[in-house]
Amino acid sequence: MICGSAVRCAALVDIKRAYEMLVARRPDSDFYRTFFNSVSRELFGTVGVNTEVEFCATNVGRASGAVPLRVYRVGGSLPAAVREIIADLPVRSGHRGSGRVRSPVSAEIGRYFESGRHSGAPESIELIDPVFYRGRHALAVGRLIATAP
């Protein structure tokens, strides 16, 4: 049995059903479904794919509406944009606004654009709301928007 036992599978089916009712109408519901899958796999040791206890693309429709985004303009300074993002994050940190966080993030983004894998320059950074928490880490999920070459 993929989720361990019949009792565990039945409980996961009920939990999934209740969770689906909570997130179904959210415009960013796919994000919450992915979060559910990650948590349930870790907590219950799910191995393989079990569509009864996991959200899969084949059995879930997308919610309507726009996903809440925060948009940060890069302008002439990638480090300034990253500093603004870090300052806006709803987490407590002794590193907030310091170069210890901003510099590695800015350097990694810069290396990507300098590698030639993208021909434009970073124009803006879009992050979805809310922050995704995993263990002791707060993760901002988003994408880079680049100018046309």
Side-chain angles (χ1 to χ4, degrees):
M1 179 158 286
I2 290 178
C3 52
S5 71
V7 172
R8 183 178 286 171
C9 279
L12 282 172
V13 168
D14 290 342
I15 292 168
K16 176 188 169 195
R17 190 175 300 122
Y19 189 81
E20 173 63 19
M21 290 171 48
L22 292 172
V23 303
R25 305 296 293 169
R26 293 189 58 98
D28 52 354
S29 61
D30 287 347
F31 175 75
Y32 288 97
R33 290 180 182 108
T34 300
F35 174 76
F36 177 90
N37 287 350
S38 296
V39 170
S40 66
R41 284 179 159 274
E42 188 157 325
L43 287 176
F44 300 106
T46 306
V47 177
V49 176
N50 184 340
T51 58
E52 299 235 354
V53 298
E54 292 180 288
F55 293 103
C56 299
T58 57
N59 63 359
V60 176
R62 296 186 66 91
S64 61
V67 173
L69 292 176
R70 289 179 281 150
V71 179
Y72 299 88
R73 300 285 173 220
V74 171
S77 174
L78 184 57
V82 173
R83 181 175 42 248
E84 185 180 352
I85 290 168
I86 293 168
D88 283 353
L89 292 176
V91 295
R92 292 183 320 223
S93 171
H95 305 299
R96 183 178 294 236
S98 74
R100 293 188 348 194
V101 173
R102 183 181 65 247
S103 294
V105 171
S106 297
E108 185 63 30
I109 294 169
R111 275 192 296 277
Y112 172 79
F113 279 92
E114 290 168 2
S115 72
R117 289 180 280 180
H118 196 286
S119 55
E123 180 179 284
S124 63
I125 301 169
E126 295 180 348
L127 298 178
I128 64 170
D129 252 348
V131 173
F132 177 67
Y133 294 95
R134 181 152 188 149
R136 295 178 44 148
H137 303 283
L139 306 171
V141 179
R143 66 182 180 169
L144 291 164
I145 306 297
T147 58

